[in-house]
Amino acid sequence: MLDAGPGRFAAALADVERRLDARIDDLVARRDTLRRLATGDRALLPEHVLAKLDRAAAELGCTDDDVRMAREGLVLVRALVPEGFDDYLAHPSLRPVPAGLRARADAALRYGLLARHGQERPAWARLRTLVEARMRAAGTALS
């Protein structure tokens, strides 16, 4: 590099800087993952979802139980309908029924797992009734 001309030297420096930036980005992502792992189930959801849940607790006055139940429900949705999770979050018209769930042959089974989540709370029971009505209207058979 000592014998390189100005153009080659500048290109080499730019390449080193690009590789350092990529390495820094990777290390920051790893650090963030470690922090999320330290808090248990927070590792199972994307950061933007966790930020919304945190805001719900701080700004909307949701109880810790409400946030925990919502987090668990989102983890279930992500596990049962992974291909539709981002669309489910981005498009309010898909809530409360993920479009990917309606298209599955085992929709009733997967929905049953989601429906039983939080069933001890009256608000969740009412929500489940509304979801079931929407799924039936969309042609999904429920047992």
Side-chain angles (χ1 to χ4, degrees):
M1 291 302 297
L2 295 176
D3 294 332
R8 185 170 167 225
F9 187 74
L13 286 178
D15 183 55
V16 169
E17 184 176 2
R18 181 193 54 75
R19 285 187 282 146
L20 284 173
D21 286 344
R23 183 70 177 138
I24 289 168
D25 291 345
D26 180 59
L27 290 170
V28 167
R30 288 175 187 230
R31 182 192 62 203
D32 291 347
T33 299
L34 287 174
R35 287 179 179 166
R36 287 172 53 201
L37 287 172
T39 58
D41 61 350
R42 293 184 64 90
L44 302 173
L45 293 171
E47 189 60 41
H48 67 278
V49 173
L50 296 171
K52 287 180 182 180
L53 289 170
D54 291 342
R55 276 196 311 274
E59 298 170 11
L60 302 177
C62 295
T63 67
D64 289 343
D65 283 343
D66 292 336
V67 173
R68 178 188 52 77
M69 187 168 289
R71 183 180 300 116
E72 289 172 0
L74 289 169
V75 168
L76 276 173
V77 170
R78 189 170 192 205
L80 295 173
V81 195
E83 68 281 356
F85 184 75
D86 290 331
D87 284 339
Y88 174 72
L89 294 175
H91 303 289
S93 63
L94 296 177
R95 293 183 204 135
V97 183
L101 181 60
R102 289 186 292 233
R104 291 180 164 275
D106 61 350
L109 174 66
R110 288 174 185 253
Y111 174 73
L113 292 170
L114 291 170
R116 285 189 287 280
H117 174 72
Q119 67 185 7
E120 72 278 1
R121 299 188 113 170
W124 287 97
R126 288 192 305 274
L127 180 60
R128 184 178 64 249
T129 300
L130 293 171
V131 169
E132 289 173 358
R134 263 191 166 178
M135 288 184 75
R136 285 189 182 99
T140 302
L142 300 174
S143 53

